[in-house]
Amino acid sequence: MSNPYGYGAHMRWLIIPVFFLAGCGLVPERFQPRGAQQDVVTVPADVTDPTRPQARPEEAPAETAPAPPAPVSAGTLGRTVASLGNAAEPGLWLKTPLVQSERNGSVFYPETGKTVAVTLIPIDGPDTAGSRLSLAAMQALGAPLTGLPEVDVLAG
């Protein structure tokens, strides 16, 4: 018996899924049979897609201006950015432009809340210049050795 549509028996199984998918709206219009209709769904503008990532409300946009410096504690000589000093030089010390002569003092690291007694050693530069902190002091404060922690420098 011959097929009246001119298709082989195997072609029938290829056409059936196309008609099924066309009814679901998953087949592009050019492959849909003539007369097939697609449902159009409109979503009100005030409805958000729950599958789309949403911004967290607590996230603030990135600042375009530098933040003002954090206030320093009472009794401090100032706040400075400390880099790791010469790791081969032993002891607890801070080389800083915040002092004019060598003296005893301490360094407070707000991130960990730790204070360490150090020898304050003067270096040339404006008060806003950075300072160099000994390896032992960085470790005692719990500061990152590869970072640039901000520390408060206290006299005496």
Side-chain angles (χ1 to χ4, degrees):
M1 178 178 211
S2 80
N3 186 341
Y5 300 106
Y7 299 114
H10 63 283
M11 290 299 290
R12 180 178 15 188
W13 298 111
L14 293 175
I15 293 174
I16 291 172
V18 171
F19 282 106
F20 174 75
L21 292 174
C24 297
L26 299 175
V27 176
E29 190 174 318
R30 68 178 186 200
F31 296 117
Q32 292 184 6
R34 287 185 215 143
Q37 296 179 355
Q38 287 190 354
D39 295 331
V40 177
V41 178
T42 57
V43 178
D46 61 339
V47 176
T48 58
D49 182 0
T51 61
R52 187 174 177 180
Q54 303 295 318
R56 294 182 189 164
E58 66 271 4
E59 290 180 343
E63 293 182 19
T64 56
V72 292
S73 328
T76 64
L77 298 173
R79 179 165 284 178
T80 186
V81 175
S83 62
L84 179 61
N86 183 355
E89 196 173 332
L92 296 166
W93 47 263
L94 175 72
K95 294 182 179 181
T96 181
L98 296 175
V99 294
Q100 283 70 42
S101 61
E102 188 171 312
R103 59 193 288 187
N104 291 329
S106 57
V107 178
F108 171 70
Y109 183 43
E111 296 292 319
T112 60
K114 294 182 180 179
T115 302
V116 174
V118 296
T119 301
L120 301 174
I121 304 168
I123 57 173
D124 289 332
D127 287 353
T128 56
S131 302
R132 294 184 292 276
L133 192 58
S134 71
L135 174 62
M138 287 276 246
Q139 291 172 331
L141 290 172
L145 299 178
T146 58
L148 296 172
E150 281 190 302
V151 295
D152 290 340
V153 181
L154 300 110

